[in-house]
Amino acid sequence: MKSCFYIPRLLVPRKDRYRWCVIAGDRFVNDKNYWDEQQRKADATALPLVFPEAYFGDGDEERCDEIRERQYEALEADWLEKLVRGFTFVERKTSAGIRRGVVAAIDLEAFSFEEGTLSPVRAMQKTPKALAERYLRLRRDAPIEMPHTIILYRDPRDKVNKLLKNEDLEELYSYDLYGDGGKVKGYFVPEDFAAAIVPLLTSKHEPSFVVAEGNAAAVAAKLHWEGVKKTLSEDAKRRHPARFMLAEFVNAEDDAAEIHPVHRLIKEIDAEAFIDFFTKSVKCTRKGSVLTPALPASHESVAKTDELIAAFIKANYGRVSYVHGADRLAKFAAEEGCVGIALKAVDKDDIFKEAKAGVVFPYQTFCIGQIRDARYYLEAREISYD
């Protein structure tokens, strides 16, 4: 199979790299206080360059314009250093142990988010149209990308990580992440060595890779490229920077790459009326305002849960949001007019099995690790010739 990897020229902060990191913008969506606190902190230097989902719908056009200007400023003021071509080998201390990954670029021609299709790289969770459009609006005008996407690959013998761990690589960064995010180390993988590990990352079966986190950002990157390539010659299509997307590739066999469920929180409702409605269709156990459905861990179970929630909201009123962690779900569900639905984690093996069958899981079915184990914004890459 032809390789779908691209060896990029990464951008990293020229100085004060320990002050750079900001957690993925698709976390703490229900907690603006978390993001407001980061806005006030001087050490969150990457925050003006990204758009946390907690602020979506709050002056999107103006914020996108401001982010674009800040990104251009970061390039023009030489805040970012462009490395020679290569990957980054990342070691991240999380709540589940040391999670290792390779930051590389993927060819978006090899990526699909359509249900029922096969491709080397597959989106595994649906992205609502409105969410994709918001990410697309930001990417369309941006000179750089800063990825929080995590893509899983299968390497049962962990050949890639073992090889990288035994190599004497240049350290790019090493520091503690704020907010109990653990510790992260990054090492530069030069182009010749990066090219040598690409065959080890790629399996012989499709899909070789599944997008586990950051599906919305990946979908937006694909849609952006589909628009850009219509304006290009055949020669220009082969090398345009928008054709590629930066992501972190994590071995699905890594014990620290734990799969956790994303729970549902229904807000602004008559809680007892919702509970009565939901439990008439699904047997549940109840603890306070949190329901745990007696359903297996599968995409069908999540789809059924979402369909019932949507039916209740359509007939009555309410809003649904998505919560990482059982403790956080219980906290939010305890508020007036709220009900939480605790879901089960799907199995990592099932993710690849479903991908092979062309299945795409419902939006926000699963995540990797606890809420603070998400990828932090570290590296960047230019995606425009402007």
Side-chain angles (χ1 to χ4, degrees):
M1 184 179 70
K2 183 180 178 181
S3 172
C4 54
F5 277 94
Y6 174 74
I7 302 175
R9 294 194 64 181
L10 298 169
L11 297 168
V12 295
R14 190 169 291 280
K15 60 181 181 178
D16 295 338
R17 290 175 185 170
Y18 72 95
R19 300 172 61 229
W20 178 252
C21 291
V22 177
I23 200 169
D26 60 355
R27 295 296 174 102
F28 295 98
V29 175
N30 298 292
D31 193 354
K32 278 191 177 181
N33 289 334
Y34 173 90
W35 290 103
D36 290 342
E37 180 183 356
Q38 302 316 310
Q39 295 275 15
R40 293 191 292 269
K41 287 187 174 181
D43 59 352
T45 55
L47 192 54
L49 309 183
V50 297
F51 197 163
E53 287 186 23
Y55 296 125
F56 280 1
D58 182 13
D60 289 0
E61 293 290 324
E62 295 81 359
R63 189 178 286 268
C64 283
D65 290 341
E66 183 178 335
I67 290 170
R68 180 192 62 207
E69 294 304 316
R70 289 293 185 91
Q71 290 184 351
Y72 275 114
E73 184 181 358
L75 291 171
E76 293 166 1
D78 210 25
W79 296 348
L80 299 172
E81 175 186 0
K82 182 182 282 190
L83 306 177
V84 296
R85 294 195 182 278
F87 295 162
T88 305
F89 176 48
V90 178
E91 292 186 318
R92 169 77 181 282
K93 184 178 181 181
T94 70
S95 60
I98 303 297
R99 187 180 73 212
R100 295 177 173 88
V102 176
V103 177
I106 206 81
D107 186 347
L108 289 166
E109 287 291 311
F111 171 66
S112 173
F113 58 86
E114 299 291 343
E115 193 161 14
T117 62
L118 289 179
S119 60
V121 191
R122 287 289 313 281
M124 280 313 296
Q125 301 184 71
K126 294 178 181 178
T127 298
K129 183 178 179 180
L131 183 62
E133 288 176 348
R134 285 189 167 113
Y135 272 97
L136 178 60
R137 169 68 177 84
L138 179 61
R139 190 177 182 93
R140 185 184 292 123
D141 295 329
I144 63 174
E145 63 173 354
M146 295 179 59
H148 64 257
T149 298
I150 295 179
I151 296 177
L152 295 177
Y153 67 95
R154 289 172 290 188
D155 182 5
R157 297 183 181 179
D158 205 27
K159 293 177 291 186
V160 173
N161 287 329
K162 287 177 180 176
L163 185 61
L164 289 168
K165 283 192 295 181
N166 291 329
E167 191 73 12
D168 185 18
L169 300 173
E170 174 193 354
E171 185 179 285
L172 286 176
Y173 49 76
S174 176
Y175 38 74
D176 295 323
L177 299 169
Y178 74 85
D180 298 322
K183 186 177 180 67
V184 66
K185 291 185 178 182
Y187 303 89
F188 182 69
V189 183
E191 184 174 12
D192 56 345
F193 193 22
I197 67 171
V198 163
L200 301 178
L201 286 162
T202 307
S203 73
K204 297 179 182 179
H205 307 286
E206 292 190 3
S208 288
F209 310 98
V210 297
V211 180
E213 291 199 1
N215 279 269
V219 169
K222 175 72 170 183
L223 293 173
H224 178 234
W225 167 238
E226 290 297 323
V228 169
K229 75 177 183 180
K230 293 176 183 178
T231 69
L232 303 175
S233 66
E234 289 303 313
D235 183 58
K237 288 178 185 177
R238 288 193 286 270
R239 63 178 186 273
H240 195 283
R243 174 171 173 158
F244 308 97
M245 179 190 75
L246 209 58
E248 182 176 344
F249 292 79
V250 172
N251 184 9
E253 308 296 330
D254 190 334
D255 290 338
E258 290 184 335
I259 298 297
H260 288 250
V262 180
H263 307 297
R264 273 52 179 157
L265 178 71
I266 306 88
K267 304 185 286 188
E268 300 174 16
I269 56 171
D270 180 328
E272 292 302 323
F274 176 84
I275 290 170
D276 181 65
F277 169 82
F278 192 86
T279 54
K280 283 181 178 177
S281 297
V282 178
K283 184 179 179 181
C284 299
T285 58
R286 177 180 179 179
K287 186 176 181 179
S289 293
V290 176
L291 301 177
T292 301
L295 295 171
S298 67
H299 71 276
E300 294 97 343
S301 297
V302 179
K304 181 175 183 178
T305 298
D306 288 345
E307 288 167 4
L308 288 170
I309 293 170
F312 181 86
I313 290 175
K314 183 177 181 180
N316 300 276
Y317 186 74
R319 294 189 298 122
V320 61
S321 59
Y322 305 88
V323 179
H324 299 79
D327 291 344
R328 288 171 55 80
L329 179 68
K331 174 186 173 182
F332 290 130
E335 297 176 4
E336 185 177 355
C338 294
V339 173
I341 298 181
L343 299 177
K344 297 175 183 176
V346 297
D347 189 89
K348 278 190 283 191
D349 288 339
D350 288 342
I351 292 174
F352 278 94
K353 288 177 183 177
E354 299 290 16
K356 189 174 181 179
V359 171
V360 179
F361 284 78
Y363 174 61
Q364 291 280 19
T365 293
F366 61 87
C367 62
I368 298 179
Q370 303 287 353
I371 188 167
R372 298 179 190 275
D373 296 334
R375 177 168 170 79
Y376 279 59
Y377 297 109
L378 298 167
E379 298 83 358
R381 186 182 73 87
E382 290 184 85
I383 56 173
S384 169
Y385 285 133
D386 292 339

